[in-house]
Amino acid sequence: MRETQIIERIRRMAERGHRDRSLVKTIGDDCAILRPKVNEDLVFTSDFVLEDRHFTLETHQAADIGHKALARSLSDLAAMGAEPVFCMVSLAVPVRASSWVTQFYKGLLALAQRFSVTLAGGDLARFDKVIADVICCGRVPRGKALLRSGAKPGDRIYVTGELGRPWRRHLRPEPRIAAGLALRRLGASACIDVSDGLALDLQRLCLESRVSAELTSDLPIAHGASLQNALHGGEDYELLFTAAPKRRIPKHIAGLAITKIGTVTRARAGQIKLDGRRLKPLGFDHFQ
Amino acid sequence: MRETQIIERIRRMAERGHRDRSLVKTIGDDCAILRPKVNEDLVFTSDFVLEDRHFTLETHQAADIGHKALARSLSDLAAMGAEPVFCMVSLAVPVRASSWVTQFYKGLLALAQRFSVTLAGGDLARFDKVIADVICCGRVPRGKALLRSGAKPGDRIYVTGELGRPWRRHLRPEPRIAAGLALRRLGASACIDVSDGLALDLQRLCLESRVSAELTSDLPIAHGASLQNALHGGEDYELLFTAAPKRRIPKHIAGLAITKIGTVTRARAGQIKLDGRRLKPLGFDHFQ
């Protein structure tokens, strides 16, 4: 199959999917074109999914990888309290993999449809391993995006759902878009998605907010997981957020249990304590 | 060097560079945040640069690859007549390559500075080969983007600069941003950048416009190149555009010679003739 035929097939699949009315032009030109609405901010993220690092072709079907590639970026939108608008997909695959490419896009577009994401463009290349880079754009009312940098000493720390689930979960991670939108409306002070482990992502949030944190060991640990999994395991894709004590945070948001796991403090920026003892983040570092 | 240290270094380098005032937030959160201006459309493109496909570590220095990765995306903005706003960079490199990463960003940020592009975010991962995916966002006045789809029978076909230059040129391709902005103001009817060969890219433009084209062999062939190089060689990064006969197109735009190379016709969509004979595009196809 020629490249133009593969791209034509992806384009037809995309055109059967969701089309946000802000998108003036999608696949078929040098660029996609977006006409912004009045009083909205746009948020952007990009995430790699790499063969033998984030998946293997033995453990994941093409459709799972398509799902996962989009889910990782959508999880970043969720953490900003943003509503998804569009994605662009750069995909490299080995030669003669046209049916694999179709299945990848089926998995990706099924998730896109559920969250009203328009596939607006991308790039297709040949490479000896599978590489996907997905860019997502979302919208928030002007000035209302949830940031990592808004946590204040005294704020409570919460997390959605459960932490440390074993790897089966990772096949089809579920981005917490509805929870993110609700948290924005509830007035959360800061938010991040837990992609590299609770401890490391909490440290990132604390560093951007120039605060520290004290956790209790009373975490919402998934069935079959250990406290270590819950603290340092990656790819939970839950939302970790903070809110001022005066904010009423419900016990459930968008069908997910919400657990209070600690308090923001004013010790050295980025310092995390668990039950009063210093905790060293062990989350995923690509370069260690 | 730890991942967080490398990212911190990139962040400092980026913060010394251009910062577009529309960007409310850049590196350091889950997403970058853009506050659109009134009456502007935003255009988006993404392009891969892959080791052993677009470059080798023997022929290209890290800074060349950084330059090239951004230049490819900027060339797509040029083809839309857009003014660059920001880029996001997803980069995967082998382990212990932190000085290589720094040099890559030096090359990329030097080009970004020249074109007032803000580095707004991205992703960094470890992989056994070098992979970069650069997303660029540009702005155009509402409804004014140059499209591939606007060519009409009778329009004249033009190209900027020279075609078919040998590979030395490819080390530091120069995106034709100023020419694209000028063409938009001059009222060009359609435009595409020549990345995969004149014949193939002209065919793409014709297919999107549902027209055909007749070329003369009187092309602006670069010194040392053949007609075949000019027709089918890739990576020229010149702009190929059409304009109605009534439009006055100057001989030079933004320091580049402009050459009339043919006419848009109403034969079968996508058909290209050269001096009256059918021309079969041989441009780059990743899957052949």
Side-chain angles (χ1 to χ4, degrees), chain A residues 56-66 100 103-104 171-172:
Chain A
T56 71
L57 295 178
E58 285 70 46
T59 55
H60 285 63
Q61 305 279 322
D64 294 332
I65 300 163
W100 195 97
Q103 290 303 314
F104 172 92
L171 281 181
R172 295 271 177 153

Side-chain angles (χ1 to χ4, degrees), chain A residues 3 11 29-30 32 34-35 41-44 46 48 53 90 123 126 133 148 193 208 285-286, chain B residues 3 11 29-30 32 34-35 41-42 44 46 48 53 90 123 126 133 135 148 193 208 285-286:
Chain A
E3 184 180 3
R11 185 174 175 170
D29 219 301
D30 292 282
L34 177 79
R35 184 158 299 162
D41 284 345
L42 297 169
V43 305
F44 299 93
S46 72
F48 263 139
R53 288 210 67 83
S90 294
D123 196 7
R126 190 161 85 77
D133 188 43
R148 295 181 182 180
D193 71 319
E208 290 298 323
D285 186 318
H286 295 95
Chain B
E3 184 181 4
R11 186 175 176 170
D29 219 302
D30 292 281
L34 178 78
R35 183 156 299 162
D41 285 345
L42 296 170
F44 299 93
S46 71
F48 264 139
R53 289 210 65 84
S90 293
D123 196 8
R126 189 162 85 78
D133 187 44
I135 302 100
R148 294 181 182 180
D193 71 318
E208 291 297 323
D285 185 317
H286 294 96

